[in-house]
Amino acid sequence: MAKLTIRPVETKKDRKIFIDLPFRLYADDPNWVPPLKSEALGLITPEKNGWFSHAKAQLFLAEEDGRVVGRISAHIDTLALTMPPEQGFGPGVGQWGLMEAERQDIFHALLARAEDWLREQGMTRALGPISMSIWEEPGLLIDGYDHPPTIMMGHAKREYRGWIEWAQYRPVKQLMTYEVDVTKQFPPIVQRIIKSGEKNARITVRNVDKTKFEEEAAIILSILNDAWRDNWGFVPLTPPEIKDVGVKLKPIVFNDLIRIAELDGKPVAFMITLPDLNEAIKPLNGSLLPFGWAKLLWWLRKPKVRTVRVPLMGVVKELQASRMASQLAFMMIEYIRRASVEHYDAKRAEIGWILDDNQGMRSIAETIESRVNKVYQVYERTL
């Protein structure tokens, strides 16, 4: 039997090998979306990912006779260490992610090495998979394998769930996405709520202005940090991360798909919707060469998509649990629904992820007759 070895990623060549592995493991999976390799490399390269300004990570590769058969990351977010323990992180909590393996024994050997590294750093509990920031791809897909993920969402092999649970990890949080047919009108009760809001002179729901990108981003970030600050897993975004996210998302920001709601002239809520970039990049198989860059640029001029995704939505804390919060949410959802159909030919929207205990957002999703289409699970174990 070939000898299995686990070694740290140390060079640029190692990082490329790390990125290449899923392309082989998922080659026969029609629902896996190959990421652009340049973006995937940026995620794990400290000089290119602002998250590393407050975090550190060690990547590992599993090899048998020189052949790569698995990978994993172990990482520590210093901001997460300062968060309240009841919100999921806190002192002594490290994470692992980016896990891929050919077999269960390889999976467990990698997991053991990641845990050892976390112990060496003084960690006492492990959360995973989180790849690598909570704002990127948290959780393991446990339901919804039968269709591709949308932009910024993960995919995984079915057997990984059993392999993680065999290693005595227990579920700690579920993250769900909901899908809804945007070609259909929302139920009458939702339409009445929207019309009532439109008659309220205190309420304004406006498009963002991409020509004022930094100003608009600052408004959204202020609302986000206020709205999400008590949520499980919340870690505030830092200026280096915001800069990186802006660079990545600006090409797929369209004024009519992102709305800011104002009450008496003050921004109090927002909703971000993105055309599903995965539909455009899936055929590129990870590369912009030789002609992928031209195809992508053409698509970005005026994207036509089947799906749009709502990755973020928030209402300031003082309005949460109020009728006004629901009204503002329904208004933004409806206006973006119309725009996504009229201007982007969308047929469906995916909302989320949404925490399993976020009853307010789950209620809104269910009221517009959306249904859960994917479930992701985060696990924990004492080290």
Side-chain angles (χ1 to χ4, degrees):
M1 179 179 291
K3 181 182 178 181
L4 178 67
T5 60
I6 309 295
R7 68 175 181 87
V9 168
E10 296 177 328
T11 66
K12 289 182 179 180
K13 182 180 178 181
D14 287 344
R15 287 200 290 266
K16 289 181 179 178
I17 293 171
F18 189 94
I19 293 304
D20 284 342
L21 178 63
F23 286 79
R24 175 166 59 82
L25 297 186
Y26 291 91
D28 297 325
D29 187 339
N31 293 313
W32 182 66
V33 179
L36 293 176
K37 290 186 178 182
S38 58
E39 291 291 324
L41 277 170
L43 174 69
I44 63 173
T45 303
E47 297 80 15
K48 296 182 178 180
N49 183 350
W51 174 76
F52 281 96
S53 65
H54 58 85
K56 59 182 176 179
Q58 178 60 63
L59 310 178
F60 296 96
L61 290 170
E63 295 178 332
E64 285 181 335
D65 291 340
R67 178 174 175 270
V68 176
V69 293
R71 72 177 202 183
I72 196 172
S73 68
H75 43 275
I76 297 169
D77 185 329
T78 59
L79 284 182
L81 297 178
T82 68
M83 303 307 292
E86 61 270 20
Q87 288 181 224
F89 292 129
V93 179
Q95 300 99 48
W96 54 265
L98 299 175
M99 167 72 91
E100 303 288 355
E102 288 188 3
R103 303 187 310 269
Q104 183 172 356
D105 63 310
I106 299 169
F107 192 100
H108 289 148
L110 283 162
L111 192 54
R113 185 64 190 90
E115 291 173 342
D116 285 345
W117 185 86
L118 290 174
R119 289 190 191 95
E120 291 165 6
Q121 306 298 314
M123 299 297 102
T124 56
R125 188 160 66 99
L127 284 180
I130 297 176
S131 306
M132 295 168 61
S133 160
I134 192 69
W135 295 102
E136 287 158 357
E137 292 184 8
L140 176 79
L141 180 68
I142 62 168
D143 189 23
Y145 303 97
D146 58 344
H147 56 287
T150 55
I151 177 175
M152 300 168 66
M153 296 301 294
H155 189 64
K157 293 182 176 293
R158 290 176 182 267
E159 53 264 38
Y160 287 178
R161 180 180 187 178
W163 295 356
I164 291 174
E165 293 176 1
W166 189 91
Q168 299 183 325
Y169 275 80
R170 69 177 187 88
V172 65
K173 185 61 62 175
Q174 286 191 345
L175 320 172
M176 295 171 288
T177 62
Y178 286 75
E179 68 174 354
V180 60
D181 182 345
V182 293
T183 66
K184 296 180 179 179
Q185 292 283 332
F186 292 139
I189 186 173
V190 176
Q191 297 297 333
R192 289 195 295 271
I193 293 171
I194 293 167
K195 289 179 180 177
S196 172
E198 291 172 337
K199 296 175 182 177
N200 188 338
R202 300 177 63 201
I203 296 174
T204 301
V205 178
R206 65 173 179 83
N207 294 0
V208 297
D209 183 348
K210 191 173 178 178
T211 66
K212 301 177 181 178
F213 187 82
E214 292 186 2
E215 181 181 329
E216 298 284 53
I219 291 171
I220 289 172
L221 182 66
S222 175
I223 299 171
L224 173 68
N225 283 339
D226 180 68
W228 283 48
R229 68 175 186 264
D230 295 330
N231 285 4
W232 184 93
F234 176 76
V235 178
L237 285 166
T238 61
E241 290 174 284
I242 295 165
K243 181 180 178 180
D244 287 347
V245 170
V247 170
K248 292 178 182 178
L249 295 187
K250 193 172 183 179
I252 52 173
V253 166
F254 296 90
N255 292 344
D256 54 352
L257 291 182
I258 302 181
R259 304 288 172 123
I260 293 175
E262 299 174 347
L263 184 64
D264 297 327
K266 176 185 176 183
V268 294
F270 74 92
M271 178 174 166
I272 295 176
T273 307
L274 304 171
D276 185 18
L277 184 63
N278 279 4
E279 294 179 21
I281 68 172
K282 186 175 182 180
L284 304 182
N285 197 34
S287 177
L288 291 175
L289 299 174
F291 303 114
W293 63 272
K295 294 177 181 177
L296 190 56
L297 285 176
W298 181 260
W299 183 88
L300 287 169
R301 288 178 68 249
K302 194 173 183 181
K304 299 296 182 182
V305 293
R306 177 174 177 265
T307 302
V308 294
R309 182 187 168 214
V310 181
L312 287 173
M313 184 175 179
V315 180
V316 293
K317 187 68 67 177
E318 65 178 298
L319 293 180
Q320 288 179 12
S322 70
R323 294 179 62 183
M324 176 65 74
S326 298
Q327 187 166 53
L328 295 175
F330 287 133
M331 292 174 74
M332 292 187 293
I333 291 170
E334 170 61 8
Y335 296 164
I336 291 177
R337 182 196 70 82
R338 295 173 192 169
S340 66
V341 173
E342 293 173 8
H343 302 153
Y344 306 90
D345 291 348
K347 304 296 186 293
R348 63 186 287 270
E350 185 175 278
I351 305 170
W353 44 267
I354 296 174
L355 292 168
D356 55 4
D357 59 357
N358 189 339
Q359 295 303 322
M361 274 306 305
R362 293 188 65 182
S363 176
I364 288 171
E366 290 161 6
T367 302
I368 61 173
E369 298 183 342
S370 61
R371 68 175 188 88
V372 175
N373 69 306
K374 286 183 182 288
V375 179
Y376 296 81
Q377 193 151 270
V378 178
Y379 291 86
E380 71 170 356
R381 190 168 92 86
T382 300
L383 296 176

